[in-house]
Amino acid sequence: MAHTLPNAGALAGCKVIDLSRVLGGPYCTQILADHGADVLKIEPPGGDETRGWGPPFLGETASYFVGVNRNKDGMTLDLSQPAGQDLLRHLLADADVMVENFKPGTLEKWGLGYEDLKAAFPALIHCRVSGFGSDGPLGGLPGYDACAQAMCGLMSVNGDADGEATRVGLPVVDMVTGLNAAVAILLALNERTRSGLGQFLDITLYDCALSLLHPHAPNYFYGGKVPQRSGNAHPNIAPYETLPTASGPIFLAVGNNGQFAMLAQTLDAPALSADARYATNADRLRHRQALRDDLTALLARHEAAALADQLLRAGVPAAAVQTVDQALAHPHTRHRGMVLEQGDYKGVGSPIKLSRTPATLRKLPPDLAPPAGQD
């Protein structure tokens, strides 16, 4: 990595070859690109399939692709052909990181697997995002977010208690896999400053989905009971769920006795905090339904947004349940720089805030380029 000015981004001078498609890998490389890395997104001749995952579209490109591919340069390359393989090796000669999500065995078939590349480029960090990894009972099989949610227990604890197992309403496994891949790359870059060597980063949807099972996994390890669905209610804390008000639902996240006392005070209900059934969190869990009934009666005369603001300012975690458009339009969203706009482009900003080297929007998502180096 070359020496660069401190205001050029925390990863300025880091060259990343991005062979990944769809979500997990591109989300990872957008994080790196937002913070100054020089990311070259290499797509197959037909392009990343998410370019067509619309409507809606920005021009001819689906919003899905636009959402995770800013700050990257673009190139198309047919890696199944010798010319494409040779050009990739040329590009890797001065690269720091390669990110890919090919099915395990594909790059190896083309002579571009980790062992081949390590011999030629010992300092290269090779990050693979896959469904299950290359070995083991499920090794080499394709992985998808929703299937990982189903297989790894996430769906089993998501949804109403009397309803069906439900997919989380966003691709949480893909995105946390991208986050973990970015963390792994940063760890490997840091270690390389000591050893001078790259390494292989094996990041799977399966592992990342299992890593999300908190507190359900520890509850099972130490309680022995199989976790069940509980709707919006928390298995360990009460009140910690959505409850109705006069103007829609409010989420109360009361984590300790002091917050519960302040909730009662704000609701002008001293009897609530004096009730022995609600003295401690364990008591409140044992009498969850009675507490829910009491709170529902008290909340019926309140407006969700106004009460949530009052509670939050009193130190009680609470929030009105907002729609996506309301969340994006919230004044604090704008204050935090979490909506980026440039011309026709709009995107969600980086949540990683660095004081001297902040994330920047330098390049819009690349257009699909004609194939390179294969005349």
Side-chain angles (χ1 to χ4, degrees):
M1 295 171 62
H3 177 71
T4 55
L5 297 174
N7 62 354
L11 290 174
C14 179
K15 181 176 179 180
V16 179
I17 301 300
D18 180 11
L19 302 177
S20 66
R21 307 176 315 284
V22 189
L23 182 53
Y27 187 66
C28 163
T29 53
Q30 180 169 276
I31 293 170
L32 306 179
D34 280 351
H35 289 274
D38 179 12
V39 176
L40 176 60
K41 181 179 178 68
I42 297 178
E43 302 176 61
D48 185 322
E49 52 262 51
T50 63
R51 285 184 178 275
W53 285 12
F57 291 91
L58 175 61
E60 297 182 352
T61 304
S63 58
Y64 196 108
F65 178 92
V66 171
V68 289
N69 284 291
R70 66 173 173 247
N71 283 328
K72 305 175 187 180
D73 292 312
M75 173 186 291
T76 53
L77 207 56
D78 187 351
L79 292 177
S80 68
Q81 300 300 313
Q85 298 161 14
D86 289 343
L87 182 50
L88 177 61
R89 292 188 185 94
H90 173 74
L91 293 169
L92 291 173
D94 62 347
D96 296 288
V97 179
M98 183 180 81
V99 179
E100 49 95 357
N101 60 353
F102 284 96
K103 183 179 177 181
T106 302
L107 286 182
E108 288 78 3
K109 177 180 64 178
W110 296 333
L112 297 169
Y114 173 64
E115 293 301 327
D116 297 299
L117 294 178
K118 181 174 73 168
F121 314 112
L124 180 68
I125 294 164
H126 182 156
C127 179
R128 171 170 292 164
V129 174
S130 68
F132 300 99
S134 62
D135 52 18
L138 300 175
L141 297 178
Y144 299 90
D145 176 276
C147 295
Q149 289 194 36
M151 179 176 285
C152 296
L154 274 65
M155 283 178 58
S156 77
V157 295
N158 190 53
D160 292 330
D162 57 353
E164 296 181 352
T166 306
R167 179 181 70 87
V168 178
L170 50 85
V172 61
V173 176
D174 275 337
M175 296 180 77
V176 81
T177 301
L179 283 169
N180 282 333
V183 170
I185 288 167
L186 298 178
L187 293 172
L189 285 169
N190 182 69
E191 191 280 335
R192 196 180 66 174
T193 64
R194 299 192 300 272
S195 68
L197 298 173
Q199 54 185 305
F200 183 72
L201 315 181
D202 181 15
I203 314 298
T204 73
L205 273 66
Y206 188 81
D207 296 351
C208 292
L210 290 170
S211 77
L212 289 171
L213 289 176
H214 187 84
H216 303 289
N219 285 351
Y220 173 68
F221 289 150
Y222 299 106
K225 295 181 180 179
V226 177
Q228 302 295 315
R229 290 182 293 286
S230 56
N232 287 328
H234 196 288
N236 298 65
I237 310 170
Y240 199 105
E241 60 185 300
T242 47
L243 292 163
T245 72
S247 63
I250 188 172
F251 197 102
L252 300 178
V254 180
N256 59 53
N257 294 335
Q259 291 174 354
F260 185 73
M262 183 55 67
L263 170 66
Q265 180 179 322
T266 304
L267 293 175
D268 193 22
L272 197 66
S273 57
D275 194 318
R277 295 174 299 170
Y278 311 144
T280 68
N281 181 68
D283 295 324
R284 293 191 289 273
L285 279 173
R286 279 192 293 271
H287 300 97
R288 187 197 294 272
Q289 187 57 54
L291 176 59
R292 183 183 290 124
D293 293 341
D294 286 345
L295 286 172
T296 298
L298 291 166
L299 293 170
R301 58 178 182 265
H302 290 274
E303 302 290 321
L307 178 61
D309 184 71
Q310 185 182 359
L311 287 169
L312 199 58
R313 294 181 188 282
V316 181
V321 178
Q322 297 190 132
T323 56
V324 171
D325 59 319
Q326 291 171 332
L328 293 175
H330 194 285
H332 201 70
T333 302
R334 301 287 171 156
H335 173 75
R336 294 293 299 174
M338 288 305 296
V339 172
L340 303 178
E341 297 181 272
Q342 182 174 312
D344 292 335
Y345 174 84
K346 292 183 179 180
V348 176
S350 172
I352 303 168
K353 311 296 189 187
L354 304 181
S355 64
R356 286 190 301 103
T357 56
T360 55
L361 174 58
R362 304 180 310 283
K363 303 171 185 175
L364 300 185
D367 293 329
L368 185 61
Q374 294 155 67
D375 299 325

